[in-house]
Amino acid sequence: MEAMRKTVLAGVCLKDKNNEFESAMNECEALCEACGMQVTARITQKSDSADTRTAFRKGKLDELHETVHATDSDLVVFLNPLSVQSAQRIAELCECEVIDRTALILDIFSHRARSRQAKLQTEMARLQYDLPKALAMADDHERSRGGSVTNRGAGEMRSAVISKKYQARIQDLKKELEKIGKQRSQDERRRAKTMLSRVALVGYTNAGKSSLMNALMTQSGAKGTHVDAEDLLFKTLDTSVRTIEKDRKKFLLYDTVGFVSNLPHMLVEAFRSTLDAARDADLLIEVIDGSDENAPEKTRITEKTLKEIGAGDIPVLRVYSKCDLMENRSEKEGQAVSCVTGEGLNALLDEIMKRLYPNETEMICCLPYDKMAMLETYKQMLQIEILSNEEDGMKIEIRGPRRYTQAFDEYRIIEGEI
């Protein structure tokens, strides 16, 4: 088993972020652990602003240096964003590698990516993040040779070559992703032909979305393999979809990438196509870890992110997972479930069906024999029972949402609300 990398977690608590700072540091430590790191110490400083050169002020920087050596750590992770130059200065002073939270999240995505699409998206985000660093190194190289980066000399040419190389690769990745996107669009068009409603699981990373998908599959007897679900941040980067059925009604259930506070913008852009499942859903299941004391803040971040990706107006059903570990359950507004004990799963399925199929009708009609293809088209959305074969067509009883039964109106014999 690979040894965990010893890491010192550092952060500047800005005056206007005082209430959020401790939660942000805890989350950053969890991100470190998700990337196979052991946080040996935390070093923090309260300030009106981070030092533009080294984030920490001189005294705190010396303390960071001492802590790195005392704990035998070889990495410092900063909660605050660092410029390329700042990271280099801190690394020189502390004699170890220094990265910020954005780089940490990119590392996690690089390790977690499994599908071709996720790998390409993550590589593109990494290139966009690394380009300024590569250009800075080119500038340093020119200075070490005695040149000036303001001159039209070799240094500028070196930077231009690096920039061109990075941009060319980014464009290649975009083209590959477009091809994958077209294939995904074809898959989605095939699913659209089934006319099944779409439900997307959304929420903060590690809230229990994948576990809930597996539990709903088991509860409903759905076919298909279970998705990976471990107690790790950003375990799921790829969108998974399964068909869920209850009482002869079906819907498509999508599992999506988890959200996190201040998700690096290049990752939001890179994974925008993966988040289509949330934007195109008929219903969003917002999964909230009911045992998490920071759940209100994470819920706020989730709902803010949904607005940012264009899914803010889609109906939302809140679901509190891990209800077997919850306190004050009566204070929560939403469905409470436990994927461990199975509590609340059946009630959740009933609520989903109620939301997806609010107005059902039933009718008896005589469908002409040359219209039999309609039965194949609507068999997944409607409950259809064949009553008899008549001279001019097949007598059938149809039950289901009005938006689907209306296709049979012209062949109706008897209709009644249920």
Side-chain angles (χ1 to χ4, degrees):
M1 183 176 177
E2 189 176 344
M4 297 185 77
R5 191 175 185 185
K6 290 184 178 180
T7 304
V8 175
L9 179 59
V12 179
C13 178
L14 302 176
K15 193 174 183 180
D16 60 339
K17 302 289 186 181
N18 194 49
N19 295 334
E20 308 167 14
F21 182 71
E22 189 63 25
S23 174
M25 287 290 285
N26 290 338
E27 178 190 84
C28 200
E29 182 167 346
L31 288 167
C32 289
E33 292 172 354
C35 204
M37 301 170 186
Q38 176 192 354
V39 176
T40 58
R42 289 190 187 189
I43 303 294
T44 63
Q45 181 175 51
K46 290 188 177 182
S47 178
D48 290 342
S49 62
D51 187 289
T52 55
R53 287 180 54 81
T54 55
F56 278 162
R57 310 295 176 188
K58 177 76 169 58
K60 188 61 68 171
L61 201 58
D62 291 339
E63 181 184 344
L64 177 62
H65 175 257
E66 292 172 3
T67 303
V68 167
H69 286 271
T71 58
D72 194 29
S73 300
D74 64 350
L75 176 67
V76 172
V77 174
F78 257 87
L79 171 69
N80 315 79
L82 297 176
S83 68
V84 175
Q85 293 78 8
S86 293
Q88 288 175 340
R89 292 188 192 103
I90 300 169
E92 290 171 4
L93 290 165
C94 293
E95 300 175 296
C96 71
E97 184 183 354
V98 176
I99 63 173
D100 61 12
R101 179 178 176 273
T102 298
L104 176 64
I105 292 176
L106 284 167
D107 283 344
I108 295 172
F109 272 57
S110 296
H111 287 118
R112 295 279 190 274
R114 292 291 179 268
S115 72
R116 178 66 175 160
Q117 184 181 33
K119 288 178 180 179
L120 294 175
Q121 289 168 325
T122 301
E123 183 185 350
M124 185 168 68
R126 171 61 78 178
L127 287 171
Q128 291 169 335
Y129 178 80
D130 284 345
L131 179 56
K133 182 178 179 180
L135 294 177
M137 290 176 66
D139 290 343
D140 288 345
H141 176 77
E142 173 60 18
R143 287 193 184 94
S144 69
R145 296 177 58 210
S148 170
V149 295
T150 59
N151 295 335
R152 286 185 171 274
E156 184 176 6
M157 290 173 62
R158 182 183 178 89
S159 296
V161 169
I162 289 174
S163 179
K164 186 176 181 180
K165 181 180 178 181
Y166 271 67
Q167 294 298 338
R169 178 56 181 160
I170 289 171
Q171 290 304 314
D172 288 342
L173 290 170
K174 285 182 177 179
K175 290 177 182 177
E176 286 191 68
L177 285 167
E178 284 176 5
K179 291 179 183 177
I180 294 174
K182 289 179 181 177
Q183 179 60 48
R184 288 287 181 98
S185 296
Q186 291 174 358
D187 293 340
E188 286 304 306
R189 281 196 292 272
R190 282 194 290 271
R191 291 190 184 112
K193 287 180 180 179
T194 69
M195 291 187 250
L196 292 178
S197 297
R198 299 171 179 228
V199 178
L201 296 166
V202 297
Y204 213 78
T205 182
N206 208 32
K209 297 183 300 299
S210 297
S211 294
L212 181 57
M213 170 175 262
N214 291 337
L216 290 175
M217 288 177 65
T218 300
Q219 184 71 22
S220 64
K223 296 179 181 178
T225 56
H226 282 193
V227 296
D228 286 340
E230 289 183 44
D231 188 16
L232 285 173
L233 275 65
F234 294 119
K235 178 59 182 175
T236 302
L237 294 185
D238 299 298
T239 301
S240 300
V241 58
R242 300 290 186 271
T243 302
I244 304 296
E245 180 177 4
K246 188 176 190 297
D247 298 332
R248 297 176 66 186
K249 301 186 189 76
K250 297 181 180 180
F251 64 89
L252 296 174
L253 181 64
Y254 292 78
D255 187 16
T256 65
V257 63
F259 302 146
V260 71
S261 62
N262 303 314
L263 188 66
H265 69 87
M266 70 278 294
L267 279 175
V268 174
E269 288 303 313
F271 280 79
R272 189 165 289 276
S273 61
T274 308
L275 294 169
D276 281 343
R279 285 194 296 271
D280 298 337
D282 299 292
L283 176 67
L284 298 177
I285 304 296
E286 182 181 355
V287 183
I288 303 167
D289 182 349
S291 66
D292 188 349
E293 60 183 17
N294 295 314
E297 173 63 14
K298 292 180 178 179
T299 299
R300 184 190 67 78
I301 292 166
T302 294
E303 293 173 356
K304 177 185 176 185
T305 306
L306 287 172
K307 290 179 181 177
E308 289 175 353
I309 65 172
D313 295 328
I314 298 172
V316 174
L317 172 59
R318 281 189 177 181
V319 174
Y320 290 89
S321 64
K322 308 176 188 177
C323 73
D324 49 311
L325 304 176
M326 280 171 57
E327 297 179 4
N328 305 317
R329 190 186 303 187
S330 59
E331 297 178 6
K332 310 293 187 184
E333 293 184 4
Q335 302 285 125
V337 303
S338 170
C339 298
V340 175
T341 67
E343 180 182 349
L345 293 175
N346 203 50
L348 173 58
L349 282 170
D350 286 338
E351 183 62 27
I352 293 173
M353 292 305 184
K354 189 187 298 182
R355 300 275 187 114
L356 295 178
Y357 305 106
N359 300 310
E360 289 204 344
T361 60
E362 66 177 2
M363 67 170 72
I364 293 176
C365 60
C366 187
L367 189 65
Y369 290 115
D370 61 355
K371 300 294 182 182
M372 289 296 108
M374 292 178 66
L375 298 182
E376 183 65 26
T377 301
Y378 289 92
K379 69 178 182 181
Q380 296 199 68
M381 288 76 69
L382 300 171
Q383 296 178 40
I384 301 173
E385 182 180 354
I386 298 173
L387 301 179
S388 62
N389 290 309
E390 306 297 330
E391 186 177 338
D392 53 349
M394 183 181 289
K395 190 176 181 182
I396 56 176
E397 183 178 27
I398 298 174
R399 184 186 183 102
R402 179 61 189 149
R403 59 174 171 160
Y404 298 132
T405 61
Q406 64 185 3
F408 294 84
D409 278 353
E410 61 181 297
Y411 312 114
R412 179 179 56 203
I413 301 173
I414 305 170
E415 180 181 18
E417 295 294 327
I418 57 171

